[in-house]
Each structure stands twice: as structure tokens, then as C-alpha cells.
Amino acid sequence: MLDYHETCVESEGGVMSEPKTPTPSPAGDTYKGWVFKWTNYIKGYQRRWFVLSNGLLSYYRTQAEMGHTCRGTINLATATITVDDACNFVISNGGTQTYHLKASCEVERQRWITALELAKAKAARMQAESDDSGDDFPPTSAPTVPGQGGASQNSEVQSALRTLGSKVEDLSTCNDLISKHGTALQRSLSELDSLRLTGEAGDKIRQVTERATLFRITSNAMINACRDFLALAQAHSKRWQKALQAERDQRVRLEETLEQLAKQHNHLERAFRGAAQANATADNKSTAGSRKGEASDEDDDNEFFDAMEEAPEFITVPADPQFHKRSSSNISGFNSEICPDDQSLNDEPLAMNQESPSQELVPLKKRRTRIPDKPNYSLNLWSIMKNCIGKELSKIPMPVNFNEPISMLQRLSEDLEYHELLDKAAKCHNSLEQLCYVAAFSVSSYSTTVYRTGKPFNPLLGETYELDRLRESGYRSLCEQVSHHPPAAAHHVISDRGWTLRQEITVASKFRGKYLSIMPLGTIHAIFEKGEHHYTWKKVTTTVHNIIVGKLWIDQSGEIDVVNHTTGDRCHLKFAPYSYFSRDVARKVTGVVMDKTGKAHYVLSGTWDEKMEFSRVMQSSRGGENGTEGKQKTVYQTLKAREVWRRNPLPDGAETMYYFTALALTLNETEEGVSPTDSRRRPDQRLMEDGRWDEANAEKQRLEEKQRSVRREREREAASQRTSSQSEEGAHHDNYEARWFSKCEDQITGEQVHLYKGGYWETKDRGNWEDCPDIF
């Protein structure tokens, strides 16, 4: 409490008595120095060595007497401290002990008064705590939580709370002292001002009075802030204590859960080891194995999921590595329908049954690996966003300062960065194996978002984007903005390696003040020529956190069902939302690949920003009930996990290039022969990429106003073509039709979607773009 004053007082003590360097103070809350003490009318004031320690003020004739003779001591807990004049002060315990003291100067007197006031406050507080300390805190010898170190940890927490309380009391005492001394200073200055001095003395008095007034105003502001802090600290102290206790309780529960799971794992190992021995020695292997497997399930049925409050939907445990090689295929609960292709997966990675790839194709051109660095522009985000809470993001006029030099159509094309997954899936002979690749592809599209906090440009109506990688990667991609309100983009990809990808995505987004929710609506389709397998899935919700204050970060959360409409196979993926209290890996994704009967064949696990792995399921069993929700969990016994997808590293210097991937750096590269409506030709986006943001903002405003005027003209034309009976019903009808996509009903989902009607690549080959609208 008095660490600051400890150093000050020793230097002052040396000044007032002798020039030599004083002896260092003892450790702890100690304050000491020379002070003159009134003895009697004959000797007057005599110099004495005073020591303030642990709420006691003692004095000695010399420093040498400190080791053997104390001349007097006053307990400050019950003492009163009064000030006589500039250098004198009196300390009395209300009884026989009264010290009349005088400091060498007013500054020294004030330091002693401050130290004595703080020591008195602390001594009174310690005395009050000693009266009821046994009721406030349990003895440290009694354990408060299970496990080692529980009592000592609780004692540390209580000690920390005591220290915090002591510091708050010190702050309150300093608050009172500043208020009291400030009032006294103001009163003294008022008395000087009443003398009505003239000349230089009067000017000095007025100058000091002005400075004292400024000091009083500043001190009052500081005192009010301290008072507010004290009130808040007292109001929230109980809440902090409860939160601390809750954290400790949760840690204890997790430790108990971990111990319980370790025991259950040992039980499973013993059970399966016994099953293996029984199968090796018994004549009837199938019957013996079945009985052993059933007994193992019954023994461990009620052990798995009792402790965890937020248990996962399933849990995986390692299976016997030799289990799949045994001839016994009738053991209860095991997948016996394993085709020859699947059996090879036990020792080889996925898709080892592919045909040898064709001769590597040479790229047409060398793609760029850098773009201009992002300029350092400052902008007040809150001044723009404060009036936008609850509005649709696409309707908010946003400057390019919050954008990245890429359009939403190009961001959709980035889903193809890991197209190799679909290439491998197209060569699979087994639909369940193929589903693993498709599920991994659905996760891989989010890996580019982990650092990408910039907003892509909203495409203009009729804007297109082509990604022709036929020579390099065997596919061609085309996107078109087919609707503006709501904004919707249609995407079609055709690959000469046996697959087609199409989607129509409508983005619904809401600004919630602290975070931004982006909800993609629409279905993604992947169709493979071999087996005519048709898969569909949807995207999860993207959340941008710390919109106003702090560093922006992105999270993905929700669930995806990847469905094979040809066979009925399904993969259920779960994107776990970020939780501050979770000890699990961040950005976690888990999934199970099941056939149409609901039997699990593979378990997928990983993170959406790094990698995904698969594990073959050898047996599944139902676990016990979760006590909080009453749900039964499934235990999957799997073989060793193998990697199916891993994120590509970012290019060098990506942090100055909007964290673009190697593919993203090439998306806005200028190319000859593309459509006049291609995003590469968009002028505001090009200006932003070049670092000319002021010009980009002006150009963006021009393009948006041009789009609004064209829309109004279409509405007028549509209104003039309608009959009088229809005019009232469709006053704002827009008869816009997409150029390369036609609207129809999807036969799989029943949704109204835009499907590619063909002709774009043929038009590009001819170089005839006369039918394209002028949108730029």
C-alpha cells in the first residue's frame, strides 16, 4: 500500500536531518524518517527517528536504538490525526499518548500525513477483518474441491480478493484525502485574495488562484471518476467471484470427465482384447465374438456420457488394427458389407483405386503472384455503421475502405481452389468413399475466409465472371448476377474430368451492432458422370465479430447435410461455433458418412481452416444418456485417421495483399477476350486494387446510380406493357432476364433456380458480345 511513499520518505528524511544517504527501509508497508517531537517547555522540539509499520507509529532517539529501545508506540487504528499549521501535526490515541510533531517543511509534513492516513485506514480494516475472519473464509486445510491443490487454489483466490479489496479501500482513502486537502487549499487562497494586495504580489496571488481553480476542477473530476470506479467495483465484485467459482467448478467437472473417459477407454481395450483371444481359440468364432461384443456393450453402456454437460453427438475410440482382417464378419454391430475397394482403404489413402492421371497439361500463361499492397487508410467505422443497425447489408452504401478488390462472383469462384477433391471423387468406384471427398470439398470452401475480413464488391445486375482453367485444371466456371433485390448469383462449372458443379446463392446479412451475420441461402449441386451420383448441400452461417471495437475475426457455425440423391447416402457435418469456455480445438468440424439405412461407414473430423481427416468405422454402439439432455450418444470404433484435405499455405506477403490465396491473386488479373460485363472490367474495383481509393469511391457511386436509373427505366417499360387489370397488382414489377441463365424449377429440390442455358463459351470463341448489356 505504501510502496510509493517508502522511497519518498527516506530521501526527505535525509534532507531534513543529514545529507548522507539514509538506510534502506525494511520490506513491507514501512515508512520512516526524522521528525521533530515536542518534549517539554525547557527542551522544546527534539529530533527523533519515527518508524511507521503495520499500523503502528514508533519513535527512537537514534536509528541505532531501533534494535533494542523503543521510546513509544501509538496504534493508528484508534488514533486521531490533526493538523495545526504548515509544518505541525498532532497524533493522539484519545488517552495518555499524544505526540506533537513538526516536520522540516510543509511538503514533508504532507507526506507524513498521507502515509499516516493510509496506514490508519489499513489498520482499522485489518482489525475489523480479524474479528470475523473465521466466518468469511474457510480454513485452508479443509479441501474445497476434489483433487490435489484444491484448498491451496481456493486460498490463493481468497487472498487475491483480499488484496483487491485492500486496494479499493486505499483508493477510497486517497479520494477523501484529496478532497479534504483541496478544500483547505482553496480556503487558504481565498484568505490571501481577501488581503487585496497590489502590484506584483497581487498578480502572483491571482495567478496562483487561477491555477488552484484549475487544480480543483481537475481534482473534482478525478474524485468523481474514482467514486464511480469504486461503485462499479463494489457492484461487480460478487459477480466476479461467482464467475471465478463457476470457472473452477467447470474445470473440476472436466477433470472428472477426462478421468472417467480414460477408465472407459481401458475397459474397451480389455473387452476387445478378450474378444480377440476368444475368437482365436474358440471353435465357433462368430458366436463367441458376438457374445463378447454384446457383453462389452452392456458393461460400458452407462459409462460414457454422464459427466459432460455439452457432450458431442458422438465419440470415436480406436478399434483393434487387426480387426478388419479377421474372417469373422458376423460379430454384433460390425459393418460386414465391405466391398473390395473399401477394404483397400484400411492400408491405403482414399482414391488409391483411381486410374493413372493423364499427361500433365501446360498452362497457357504464367499467372500473377502479387497485387499492389493495401494502402493504410483510416476511417471512422462507427460514423457509417451506427445508422445501419438491423438493415440489410446489401442496401447500405459502403465505401470501398471496407472492401477487398474482388467481387462476390469471384469469391464464389474461389470455392474451386480445391477442385482436386472433386477430381478424385469422380474416379471413385464406391459412393461412400466419393461422399467423403464431396464432404471435404464442402468444408474446404471456408478455408479462405479465416483472415479475409474485407467485404467483396456487390455485383451489378448482369455482371458476370468467368474462370477458364480448362488447360491448367480441366474446368470452366461462369458466374452471373441474376438478381439485385434480393442479390442472387448463379454459378455453373463444367469439368472434363467427370463432374459438374452448380449453385445459386442469395446472401442475407444483418448488422447487429457488435457482429455481422451472413446467411447464404441456396443449394449447391455436384453431379458426377460415373454412376450419375447427384449431391446437394447448403452453406453455413458466417459471423464477423468485433465490427465496432477490437480486431475483426470470422467464425463459421451451423450444420450441413451432404446428400447423395442417387443412393440415399448422407454425410452430416457440424461446424462448432467458437466458445470462450471450450477447451476443444477452435473452428472444429465433425461429420459422419452414413448409407441410406443410417449405418455409419466413415467419421470425418478436422477444422474448416486447416485440414480434414477420415476414419473407417468398424463398429458402432449406443452410449449412455447425457444427464442434462437425456440424449443417447453413439460410440464409433474406428481405424487410424487419414488426411483427406489440407489448406494450401498463403503466399509470401499475404498480410499486405488482403490475405489473398494464390488463386485469389489471379482472379482479378486482366485477360483478353472476356465479356464486357466481366468483373475484371469493373472500373471501381480496378481502381481500388491499384490503391486509388478516393477515385474508386467516386466511380462506385457512379455505377450504383447508373444501375438505379436503368432499373427505373425497366420498371417503366414493364408498366407500360401490362394491361389495366394488372397495373395495380404489379406496380413495381421488373421484367429483367439473365443473359446466360434461365429461371426454372429444380427437379431435385423443387426450388426456383437459374440454370445455365449455354452459349457463353461459344460466344467467347466467336468474340461477338453485341447482346451483352452496358453496365460499366
Side-chain angles (χ1 to χ4, degrees):
M1 178 177 69
L2 303 178
D3 295 340
Y4 168 76
H5 302 288
E6 182 179 331
T7 13
C8 295
V9 115
E10 293 220 357
S11 60
E12 287 298 330
V15 169
M16 70 177 289
S17 60
E18 49 193 49
K20 66 179 182 179
T21 305
T23 307
S25 300
D29 296 340
T30 303
Y31 191 92
K32 59 187 178 182
W34 292 102
V35 181
F36 291 93
K37 178 182 179 294
W38 175 264
T39 56
N40 53 49
Y41 284 101
I42 297 175
K43 295 184 179 180
Y45 283 96
Q46 296 294 318
R47 190 182 66 172
R48 296 291 183 261
W49 181 257
F50 278 82
V51 176
L52 174 60
S53 178
N54 296 324
L56 299 176
L57 179 65
S58 306
Y59 77 95
Y60 310 85
R61 284 188 177 181
T62 63
Q63 297 184 45
E65 283 190 351
M66 289 179 60
H68 53 83
T69 304
C70 178
R71 302 293 175 172
T73 300
I74 286 183
N75 187 350
L76 294 178
T78 57
T80 58
I81 304 171
T82 58
V83 179
D84 284 352
D85 54 25
C87 296
N88 292 14
F89 57 102
V90 179
I91 304 173
S92 175
N93 63 359
T96 58
Q97 289 181 303
T98 300
Y99 295 165
H100 294 266
L101 308 176
K102 182 171 67 173
S104 61
C105 62
E106 185 176 358
V107 174
E108 176 66 15
R109 190 282 312 268
Q110 189 54 51
R111 289 179 175 175
W112 271 104
I113 292 296
T114 302
L116 291 168
E117 292 280 4
L118 291 173
K120 176 184 176 181
K122 182 175 182 180
R125 187 166 62 252
M126 293 177 63
Q127 183 176 359
E129 290 177 354
S130 63
D131 295 337
D132 57 353
S133 60
D135 298 332
D136 291 343
F137 303 102
T140 56
S141 60
T144 57
V145 294
Q148 295 182 347
S152 61
Q153 291 170 358
N154 185 66
S155 176
E156 291 176 3
V157 171
Q158 299 297 347
S159 175
L161 292 177
R162 284 172 180 264
T163 304
L164 289 175
S166 173
K167 297 301 180 185
V168 171
E169 291 292 339
D170 292 348
L171 185 61
S172 179
T173 303
C174 292
N175 188 349
D176 297 336
L177 288 174
I178 291 176
S179 180
K180 181 173 67 176
H181 298 325
T183 303
L185 175 63
Q186 194 69 33
R187 184 169 58 251
S188 299
L189 290 172
S190 299
E191 292 173 356
L192 287 175
D193 191 47
S194 64
L195 297 178
R196 300 182 181 278
L197 298 176
T198 59
E200 184 178 355
D203 294 338
K204 289 292 183 182
I205 291 296
R206 282 190 293 274
Q207 185 179 7
V208 172
T209 303
E210 291 175 359
R211 292 181 178 177
T213 302
L214 292 175
F215 170 78
R216 177 176 57 82
I217 294 172
T218 307
S219 298
N220 286 338
M222 192 274 290
I223 290 171
N224 291 333
C226 291
R227 187 178 295 113
D228 294 342
F229 169 79
L230 185 60
L232 285 173
Q234 292 172 345
H236 291 283
S237 61
K238 292 184 178 180
R239 185 183 304 173
W240 293 337
Q241 293 180 35
K242 290 181 180 179
L244 199 60
Q245 184 64 33
E247 287 291 325
R248 186 164 56 249
D249 294 343
Q250 185 182 28
R251 187 199 65 189
V252 172
R253 288 194 298 268
L254 290 175
E255 290 175 352
E256 292 174 349
T257 301
L258 184 61
E259 182 179 359
Q260 187 177 9
L261 288 176
K263 292 179 180 179
Q264 294 161 356
H265 185 264
N266 290 334
H267 292 165
L268 275 176
E269 285 186 347
R270 288 195 298 270
F272 284 110
R273 192 177 296 114
Q277 293 174 357
N279 290 333
T281 57
D283 293 332
N284 191 348
K285 297 180 181 180
S286 300
T287 305
S290 176
R291 291 174 181 172
K292 190 66 178 180
E294 292 171 359
S296 173
D297 290 344
E298 292 173 359
D299 292 341
D300 295 331
D301 217 18
N302 297 319
E303 289 185 302
F304 267 89
F305 301 98
D306 295 335
M308 291 194 64
E309 293 183 352
E310 297 181 0
E313 295 182 357
F314 61 87
I315 190 170
T316 60
V317 296
D320 187 344
Q322 301 299 321
F323 182 84
H324 60 281
K325 297 183 179 180
R326 296 201 298 268
S327 58
S328 171
S329 60
N330 296 324
I331 299 177
S332 175
F334 285 78
N335 296 333
S336 57
E337 303 83 9
I338 302 178
C339 66
D341 290 326
D342 285 337
Q343 291 184 356
S344 67
L345 298 177
N346 300 330
D347 300 307
E348 299 293 338
L350 281 173
M352 290 302 294
N353 54 350
Q354 302 173 6
E355 298 89 346
S356 59
S358 58
Q359 185 178 2
E360 185 177 355
L361 299 175
V362 179
L364 286 175
K365 59 179 291 188
K366 183 178 180 181
R367 305 290 177 179
R368 68 180 183 181
T369 58
R370 287 200 61 84
I371 61 173
D373 290 346
K374 178 181 179 181
N376 186 17
Y377 281 89
S378 60
L379 191 65
N380 186 356
L381 174 62
W382 180 242
S383 64
I384 298 174
M385 301 295 287
K386 64 183 179 181
N387 297 322
C388 304
I389 297 177
K391 294 182 179 179
E392 173 69 30
L393 186 64
S394 62
K395 298 181 181 180
I396 300 175
M398 298 289 289
V400 300
N401 303 58
F402 304 119
N403 284 35
E404 56 182 8
I406 208 171
S407 74
M408 180 59 73
L409 302 180
Q410 291 163 315
R411 283 294 291 266
L412 277 180
S413 302
E414 277 192 79
D415 289 356
L416 298 170
E417 179 167 3
Y418 300 97
H419 64 90
E420 297 91 349
L421 292 170
L422 297 181
D423 294 343
K424 294 177 182 179
K427 296 183 178 181
C428 292
H429 298 296
N430 180 270
S431 62
L432 294 169
E433 176 188 347
Q434 187 179 67
L435 184 51
C436 290
Y437 280 106
V438 177
F441 176 80
S442 70
V443 176
S444 69
S445 62
Y446 298 100
S447 64
T448 62
T449 66
V450 62
Y451 301 114
R452 301 273 291 278
T453 56
K455 173 184 174 293
F457 279 78
N458 288 332
L460 301 173
L461 186 61
E463 185 175 337
T464 61
Y465 179 74
E466 69 164 68
L467 186 61
D468 190 353
R469 294 291 189 269
L470 189 62
R471 292 289 304 275
E472 296 96 329
S473 304
Y475 68 83
R476 278 178 164 179
S477 165
L478 176 65
C479 290
E480 181 180 1
Q481 188 76 359
V482 295
S483 173
H484 189 64
H485 288 300
H491 185 201
H492 183 85
V493 190
I494 183 68
S495 172
D496 61 6
R497 299 179 184 176
W499 55 269
T500 301
L501 185 76
R502 60 178 174 87
Q503 58 182 323
E504 180 176 345
I505 299 297
T506 300
V507 177
S509 51
K510 291 292 183 180
F511 174 55
R512 304 296 186 182
K514 292 183 179 180
Y515 63 91
L516 177 70
S517 295
I518 302 172
M519 297 150 288
L521 308 176
T523 304
I524 306 171
H525 299 254
I527 303 100
F528 295 92
E529 294 178 4
K530 182 184 292 186
E532 298 182 351
H533 295 292
H534 191 142
Y535 298 89
T536 63
W537 68 91
K538 295 179 180 292
K539 289 182 175 287
V540 295
T541 298
T542 300
T543 306
V544 185
H545 295 271
N546 293 343
I547 291 293
I548 302 302
V549 179
K551 183 178 180 181
L552 292 175
W553 61 279
I554 291 178
D555 192 26
Q556 314 286 349
S557 59
E559 298 182 1
I560 293 178
D561 278 316
V562 185
V563 181
N564 185 339
H565 294 274
T566 305
T567 63
D569 302 336
R570 178 184 302 267
C571 177
H572 181 74
L573 294 169
K574 183 175 182 180
F575 289 65
Y578 173 81
S579 173
Y580 177 80
F581 299 101
S582 174
R583 291 190 179 182
D584 210 342
V585 61
R587 309 181 183 98
K588 184 177 181 180
V589 181
T590 56
V592 181
V593 174
M594 298 174 288
D595 59 23
K596 62 181 179 181
T597 65
K599 180 185 293 185
H601 290 262
Y602 295 100
V603 170
L604 295 174
S605 62
T607 58
W608 53 264
D609 69 320
E610 189 61 35
K611 65 177 181 178
M612 289 295 294
E613 296 177 335
F614 76 96
S615 303
R616 160 64 70 81
V617 175
M618 302 309 298
Q619 183 182 16
S620 61
S621 59
R622 303 298 291 180
E625 289 188 353
N626 182 1
T628 57
E629 300 178 0
K631 295 181 179 179
Q632 281 193 330
K633 306 300 179 181
T634 303
V635 181
Y636 295 120
Q637 295 149 33
T638 62
L639 299 182
K640 182 180 178 181
R642 296 180 182 273
E643 188 173 280
V644 65
W645 163 76
R646 177 176 289 274
R647 178 174 64 93
N648 296 328
L650 291 175
D652 294 337
E655 62 278 1
T656 64
M657 298 185 295
Y658 309 90
Y659 288 98
F660 278 1
T661 63
L663 174 64
L665 290 174
T666 68
L667 294 181
N668 205 42
E669 186 176 9
T670 57
E671 288 192 17
E672 297 294 333
V674 298
S675 169
T677 57
D678 196 274
S679 298
R680 298 176 181 86
R681 300 182 182 273
R682 182 165 176 164
D684 54 348
Q685 185 173 302
R686 181 65 60 189
L687 288 168
M688 184 198 173
E689 182 183 283
D690 293 338
R692 300 155 63 184
W693 285 15
D694 293 335
E695 299 175 58
N697 277 317
E699 190 66 17
K700 181 173 181 289
Q701 186 175 359
R702 180 190 70 82
L703 291 175
E704 291 172 350
E705 181 55 38
K706 179 179 181 180
Q707 180 175 236
R708 283 189 287 267
S709 62
V710 172
R711 178 183 176 86
R712 288 192 293 267
E713 181 64 28
R714 281 200 310 271
E715 290 176 351
R716 283 193 294 268
E717 291 179 0
S720 63
Q721 295 174 1
R722 288 193 299 270
T723 61
S724 58
S725 60
Q726 297 173 329
S727 59
E728 183 177 354
E729 178 183 356
H732 298 284
H733 177 71
D734 187 353
N735 58 356
Y736 177 80
E737 293 184 2
R739 175 64 182 85
W740 307 108
F741 291 80
S742 59
K743 192 172 185 179
C744 61
E745 180 178 318
D746 191 285
Q747 297 181 356
I748 298 294
T749 63
E751 302 171 339
Q752 290 293 320
V753 296
H754 285 80
L755 298 180
Y756 178 59
K757 59 185 178 182
Y760 179 87
W761 302 107
E762 293 78 7
T763 302
K764 180 183 178 182
D765 292 338
R766 294 192 303 268
N768 182 10
W769 302 107
E770 295 179 356
D771 295 337
C772 292
D774 177 20
I775 60 175
F776 298 142

